[in-house]
Amino acid sequence: MQERRRAVPEKTAPTRADSTGSADQGARERAPRRLRADAQRNVDSLLEAAKTVFGTSGVDAPAKQIADLAGVGVGTLYRHFPQRSDLVKAVFQREVDACADAAPALSAAHEPGEALERWLLRYTEFLATKRGLATALHSGDPAFDALPGYFMQRLGPTLDSLLETATASGEIRAEISAKDLLYAVANLCLPVEGGGVAYSRRMVALLVDGLRYGAGTSPSRS
């Protein structure tokens, strides 16, 4: 009996539509997925809780303490932040972003000199949060190597814009740079015995008074 040969479909090149569809599917698979609203709320609650706990109990505080304050389970904490360094970085970047993002609203609501002062006081609050993260940030862990650059990338241009506007209005002296001022405020906010955020705010207010002194006679910033 003659063997009946089975027909084998020929391989054909993918059509343009097929190729485009595959490419689109690949792009969708590579693109980061946006969190659902409930998941985003959990992340926000965890970051706020972690900021509070790190400020009072340090960065090595138990995960359950953070999760309980956020009102979620420990499993939810680890699902979003598998390593402690992930949580520390997220808290740091969130606070940097909040500080940078405050500048436009302050500029819109206040005169340039006052907007600058209010932003520097907002920056003072950020530095208080940063002290709670200090143990981790200065641990030498490579996970934190990019954070100083992130800090300057976000806050440097923000403060520079506020300074330029305040200087142009004649309210602030001209010979200080954003980098100088960021570090000057940070030095004023170093912990002292019996001091706290209120003490740091008073010191920063004195610094701003110094920036205003002689502003009308200072040369324009280049």
Side-chain angles (χ1 to χ4, degrees):
M1 177 184 293
Q2 184 178 6
E3 183 179 359
R4 187 175 181 179
R5 299 181 62 185
R6 298 175 60 187
V8 178
E10 295 182 358
K11 294 183 178 179
T12 58
T15 64
R16 183 176 181 180
D18 291 339
S19 300
T20 303
S22 298
D24 289 344
Q25 181 179 358
R28 287 193 298 270
E29 290 174 351
R30 291 191 299 272
R33 295 182 178 180
R34 296 183 62 183
L35 292 175
R36 299 194 318 265
D38 57 339
Q40 186 62 59
R41 283 193 298 271
N42 286 342
V43 168
D44 292 340
S45 296
L46 283 166
L47 292 176
E48 187 63 28
K51 181 181 79 168
T52 300
V53 171
F54 290 162
T56 57
S57 303
V59 291
D60 295 324
K64 189 175 187 305
Q65 184 179 353
I66 298 171
D68 286 349
L69 184 59
V72 301
V74 174
T76 299
L77 169 60
Y78 284 123
R79 183 164 64 251
H80 291 294
F81 305 104
Q83 303 295 327
R84 180 57 59 105
S85 60
D86 298 327
L87 184 58
V88 171
K89 286 191 300 182
V91 170
F92 181 89
Q93 291 174 336
R94 177 178 182 255
E95 294 305 304
V96 168
D97 290 343
C99 192
D101 293 343
L106 292 173
S107 295
H110 304 284
E111 293 298 320
E114 185 177 356
L116 174 63
E117 180 176 10
R118 287 174 178 264
W119 189 86
L120 289 174
L121 292 173
R122 175 66 181 80
Y123 172 57
T124 300
E125 295 174 7
F126 160 75
L127 292 172
T129 297
K130 186 173 179 286
R131 284 202 295 270
L133 307 176
T135 301
L137 297 178
H138 299 152
S139 65
D141 188 334
F144 306 125
D145 286 350
L147 294 184
Y150 187 82
F151 169 89
M152 287 303 304
Q153 179 185 2
R154 292 289 280 130
L155 299 188
T158 296
L159 180 52
D160 194 57
S161 177
L162 291 166
L163 273 173
E164 286 183 358
T165 304
T167 299
S169 71
E171 297 179 61
I172 295 295
R173 295 168 60 176
E175 65 274 12
I176 189 166
S177 70
K179 183 177 180 180
D180 289 340
L181 193 50
L182 286 172
Y183 286 121
V185 174
N187 286 330
L188 286 175
C189 294
L190 291 174
V192 296
E193 186 177 354
V197 176
Y199 173 83
S200 298
R201 290 172 67 90
R202 290 198 302 273
M203 296 301 100
V204 172
L206 288 173
L207 173 62
V208 174
D209 286 344
L211 292 175
R212 288 192 172 110
Y213 179 76
T217 59
S218 296
S220 300
R221 291 178 80 226
S222 57

